[in-house]
Amino acid sequence: MAEAVANVARRVNATVEEEKDTLDLSNCKLISFPDGVFRVLNSVAEKIHIVTLADNEMKGVTSKFFKIFAQLRELDLHGNVITKLPDVVGELEHLTSINLANNKLSVFPERLTEIQSLERINLEGNDITDVPMEKLQAMPALKCINLKSNPLDNNLLTAIQQFPQTFEIQTTKDN
């Protein structure tokens, strides 16, 4: 445990000292985003545009995280045990890419459809059964959504294949 804490501290300090626009806390055995990190990053949070929290044990991400990192452009949360996102995620007006692959989402996080700048959504390997196709179609910047390895209903898969698309939809049926 002490080694994991020291690893997080080193990475956070490097981000602050080197004035990086990236915070990488992947593979740190995190179960949540540490409150102490908010305090350390408070002065530079607006400059951080890419956050990677992949391959941890996080069950969720708090509203506070999304408010502190309001300038995010890319967020990688793959390989956690996240079951849902807070509503405030829809306020990330600069977000272009979100990776939620291999989590425990059973419901499509519809607030993502409110982000006008969002280009890429990766939801591969979750438990999602339904997708708001009309809302996705209305997203002006969306280029690709990955829904592979989700238990999507066959009727939905057929509808997705026939949907007039301005973006790429990857599903298991595409194989």
Side-chain angles (χ1 to χ4, degrees), residues 1-56:
M1 182 66 155
E3 182 180 325
V5 171
N7 189 17
V8 169
R10 271 194 305 278
R11 293 183 190 191
V12 170
N13 287 337
T15 296
V16 173
E17 291 169 8
E18 298 169 25
E19 298 180 8
K20 294 180 179 178
D21 71 344
T22 301
L23 175 62
D24 183 355
L25 295 180
S26 59
N27 292 297
C28 286
K29 300 181 176 134
L30 297 174
I31 57 171
S32 64
F33 194 84
D35 268 346
V37 173
F38 286 126
R39 287 189 288 279
V40 173
L41 293 175
N42 199 29
S43 63
V44 296
E46 66 187 33
K47 296 175 186 166
I48 296 175
H49 297 135
I50 301 168
V51 174
T52 301
L53 294 167
D55 299 315
N56 283 294

Side-chain angles (χ1 to χ4, degrees), residues 46-132:
E46 66 187 33
K47 296 175 186 166
I48 296 175
H49 297 135
I50 301 168
V51 174
T52 301
L53 294 167
D55 299 315
N56 283 294
E57 299 163 19
M58 297 177 64
K59 292 184 174 113
V61 182
T62 64
S63 295
K64 181 178 181 179
F65 173 87
F66 291 110
K67 289 178 182 175
I68 297 283
F69 295 106
Q71 302 299 315
L72 275 183
R73 286 176 178 46
E74 296 179 27
L75 178 58
D76 187 349
L77 294 165
H78 86 268
N80 282 284
V81 288
I82 295 170
T83 57
K84 68 178 189 170
L85 295 176
D87 290 346
V88 73
V89 71
E91 297 172 18
L92 292 176
E93 59 188 45
H94 305 288
L95 193 67
T96 60
S97 176
I98 187 163
N99 186 348
L100 292 160
N102 302 313
N103 274 285
K104 301 291 181 193
L105 295 165
S106 58
V107 176
F108 184 94
E110 284 200 40
R111 292 293 179 137
L112 294 179
T113 64
E114 298 171 10
I115 304 172
Q116 300 296 303
S117 59
L118 197 54
E119 297 175 4
R120 292 175 306 283
I121 304 172
N122 187 349
L123 291 164
E124 181 175 357
N126 280 281
D127 298 316
I128 296 170
T129 56
D130 197 17
V131 180

Side-chain angles (χ1 to χ4, degrees), residues 133-148:
M133 289 305 299
E134 291 77 20
K135 289 182 179 183
L136 290 170
Q137 186 69 25
M139 293 176 69
L142 189 63
K143 294 177 181 170
C144 180
I145 179 166
N146 184 348
L147 296 166
K148 289 180 181 176

